[in-house]
Amino acid sequence: MSQPWAAFTDHIFLAVRLTPNGGRDAIDGVDTDAAGKSHLKARVTAVPEKGKANKALIALVAKSLGVAKSSISLASGDTSRKKTLRIEGDPEDLIRKLGALVES
């Protein structure tokens, strides 16, 4: 299975499929869509209006990876369930943390 991230020199892009109004804030592992692309499955309790679910997603990922919320931005998918996050930082460190997160 391919990984839901792509590494660059000072950041990574992370593909996410978000379920807003999901009953709890959690990361539910990695899944593959019909096209064969992997994405991180996440759910948040926030509703999908006025960017609340996007902000909750950023907070969840920041807390899970131990990085500042300010180092995460929404690269694409503002109103879609499928989103791409740009996470600033050392790519090797971020990938190691993501790997541990999805394996647990």
Side-chain angles (χ1 to χ4, degrees):
M1 173 179 11
S2 65
Q3 299 299 337
W5 55 75
F8 296 89
T9 56
D10 62 347
H11 66 279
I12 64 169
F13 281 114
L14 177 63
V16 179
R17 184 177 189 287
L18 179 64
T19 302
N21 212 10
R24 61 188 169 98
D25 291 348
I27 293 177
D28 295 330
V30 176
D31 199 13
T32 305
D33 63 15
K37 293 189 176 185
S38 293
H39 54 269
L40 188 73
K41 294 189 309 182
R43 65 177 63 212
V44 295
T45 56
V47 294
E49 56 187 41
K50 298 183 181 176
K52 291 178 184 176
N54 291 338
K55 288 179 184 175
L57 172 64
I58 288 171
L60 173 65
V61 172
K63 181 179 178 184
S64 298
L65 295 179
V67 299
K69 289 187 282 187
S70 61
S71 68
I72 302 176
S73 59
L74 189 64
S76 67
D78 188 42
T79 59
S80 171
R81 284 182 184 258
K82 291 187 177 179
K83 302 177 183 302
T84 302
L85 297 178
R86 178 185 169 120
I87 307 173
E88 301 290 331
D90 176 35
E92 289 181 18
D93 185 46
L94 293 170
I95 289 170
R96 182 180 45 75
K97 289 177 181 178
L98 278 167
L101 181 67
V102 298
E103 290 174 5
S104 61

